[in-house]
Amino acid sequence: MHLPPNGLQSLVCQRPHYAIAYEQAGDVTFVHCRVDRWSAMVSRALRRDFYSLMTMRMGPLYAYKENPDAKFIRFANRMGFRVYQVFGAWVVFRRDEA
């Protein structure tokens, strides 16, 4: 696995306060999530949309971050991701099927 994959991102969900995109790197799909404004309502909606996306696909999703801080790790865990591999400063998270 080469990090960062630097592939083309495909937007799969666009909402007023967040967006979710997939990035294909060989047979691995990475997910990117941009949250513009965080609130309890946004958190619930994001988890609901993310769960719907997971039910539409087969196989795991991966996320990566260079030097993730505690806030990012907490967010990844809340979304169902767990640490999968570490490559130097890069940490790869994995979430299995819904």
Side-chain angles (χ1 to χ4, degrees):
M1 189 179 300
H2 180 269
L3 292 173
N6 293 323
L8 177 65
Q9 293 183 21
S10 301
L11 188 64
V12 293
C13 180
Q14 175 75 50
R15 300 287 188 237
H17 299 297
Y18 61 89
I20 303 170
Y22 286 164
E23 178 181 9
Q24 197 67 36
D27 60 348
V28 175
T29 303
F30 290 96
V31 64
H32 298 272
C33 184
R34 187 193 79 243
V35 179
D36 298 323
R37 186 176 150 261
W38 190 258
S39 69
M41 183 184 75
V42 169
S43 176
R44 285 189 300 273
L46 176 60
R47 283 185 287 167
R48 187 173 47 248
D49 282 339
F50 196 78
Y51 180 79
S52 294
L53 289 170
M54 287 297 296
T55 61
M56 288 187 255
R57 60 170 284 111
M58 299 294 287
L61 276 176
Y62 297 85
Y64 62 89
K65 178 82 171 164
E66 186 175 20
N67 296 317
D69 58 9
K71 187 176 175 180
F72 181 87
I73 293 169
R74 191 170 51 249
F75 174 76
N77 288 336
R78 180 178 289 147
M79 300 304 291
F81 286 85
R82 300 294 177 254
V83 172
Y84 178 65
Q85 289 182 331
V86 177
F87 298 94
W90 291 94
V91 178
V92 177
F93 299 84
R94 175 183 167 138
R95 178 182 168 148
D96 292 312
E97 299 173 39

